[in-house]
Amino acid sequence: MFGLPTATVVIIVGIPAIWVIYTLVFVFLSRGWKAEDMAEDQALARTANGADGRDGGAASAKGNGGAA
């Protein structure tokens, strides 16, 4: 290409091509992260409110300064 050595062409074209492929794979793999974070936040909110706790919320009342 334009009289450049093959190694130079491979470097000039190859590095950006690898970067584009890497970015596309990352976007593809991370497309469900928002839903995953929302589910985790909802689970944490239920636990903090005592709805999921085994002690009926006594632990969260103690953690928040409540008298239990």
Side-chain angles (χ1 to χ4, degrees):
M1 181 165 114
F2 304 116
L4 294 172
T6 304
T8 304
V9 173
V10 168
I11 290 171
I12 290 172
V13 174
I15 292 175
I18 290 170
W19 185 256
V20 168
I21 292 168
Y22 170 81
T23 302
L24 292 174
V25 169
F26 176 80
V27 168
F28 177 76
L29 292 176
S30 65
R31 69 189 188 282
W33 285 3
K34 184 176 182 180
E36 195 175 296
D37 287 343
M38 288 175 55
E40 183 179 332
D41 290 345
Q42 289 172 350
L44 287 173
R46 280 195 307 269
T47 302
N49 291 336
D52 251 0
R54 292 183 209 138
D55 60 354
S60 61
K62 288 179 191 171
N64 292 330

